[in-house]
Amino acid sequence: MRQRMQGLVLYCSKYGTSKAYAELIGEATGFAVCAAANARTVQSADAVILCGGVYAGKIAGLKLLKKNAAKLQGKKVAVFAAGLSPADERTTAALKRNLTGGLAGITLFYGRGAWKSGSLKSGDRFLCRLLHGMLAKKDASQYEEPWMQTFMESYGKDCDFTDRQYLLPLLEWLRS
């Protein structure tokens, strides 16, 4: 009989989607769940999953993994990124560019998240307004990153694409 894996699910979430995904992973695996900013140790875990929100193509929380790269050696480590872009190869390839240096070998999973225009903090609302203005000047065919099209389609609306199905590849990976 195989011993149950000890795991830790860290999350870095501004608006709650990454936290929700982290809690779903915790329910499915029995792993402890905590905010990335409060994670004191990863040493006792066999597996570490970081759930990070995607903001303008960057995955939140990667600094914690970089800071603890030595402690992660020999462990099963993955990043589950939650963002607004479609869950396709183009989005995943763009997000993998975040995994540089000591993070290059980490497995990346992606799931769509939520966008709640009314709950944006004032600074984020201001930056989104600026970004919308810049992107509106371009033809959609000129968008370099996958999130740009989705951002423009979602701007000013509330959208929630959160779905447990996005976690299935991660859960299968943990079992392998």
Side-chain angles (χ1 to χ4, degrees):
M1 185 172 169
R2 202 164 98 176
Q3 186 178 0
R4 184 174 176 93
M5 186 184 306
Q6 295 295 314
L8 180 62
V9 183
L10 307 171
Y11 65 87
C12 191
S13 185
K14 264 185 165 179
Y15 295 103
T17 302
S18 295
K19 180 181 180 185
Y21 275 123
E23 289 171 347
L24 289 171
I25 294 167
E27 287 173 18
T29 61
F31 292 178
V33 177
C34 65
N38 297 329
R40 298 195 182 237
T41 184
V42 296
Q43 288 179 308
S44 61
D46 301 314
V48 177
I49 314 283
L50 170 71
C51 290
V54 177
Y55 307 101
K58 304 289 183 217
I59 304 169
L62 291 181
K63 286 182 185 176
L64 178 77
L65 293 184
K66 287 180 182 177
K67 180 179 165 185
N68 290 285
K71 294 177 186 174
L72 297 172
Q73 294 298 314
K75 299 179 186 298
K76 254 190 141 150
V77 182
V79 171
F80 183 88
L84 198 54
S85 295
D88 59 22
E89 288 181 28
R90 186 170 176 231
T91 298
T92 304
L95 291 173
K96 281 184 181 178
R97 291 193 292 261
N98 286 269
L99 303 177
T100 59
L103 304 181
I106 291 179
T107 305
L108 175 73
F109 299 92
Y110 178 76
R112 292 191 81 184
W115 171 267
K116 298 171 187 159
S117 294
S119 66
L120 290 176
K121 296 173 183 168
S122 62
D124 289 340
R125 194 172 25 257
F126 175 74
L127 290 173
C128 286
R129 195 170 36 247
L130 286 177
L131 182 59
H132 181 266
M134 287 178 7
L135 291 175
K137 294 176 185 175
K138 291 184 173 188
D139 185 81
S141 65
Q142 295 177 329
Y143 295 155
E144 300 89 24
E145 299 290 337
W147 61 266
M148 293 176 174
Q149 181 67 39
T150 308
F151 172 81
M152 292 302 286
E153 292 168 356
S154 304
Y155 185 78
K157 303 174 189 170
D158 287 349
C159 309
D160 190 349
F161 303 106
T162 308
D163 190 333
R164 288 177 185 261
Q165 297 297 318
Y166 292 122
L167 297 176
L168 295 178
L170 169 74
L171 298 174
E172 183 62 33
W173 173 82
L174 281 170
R175 285 190 285 274
S176 66

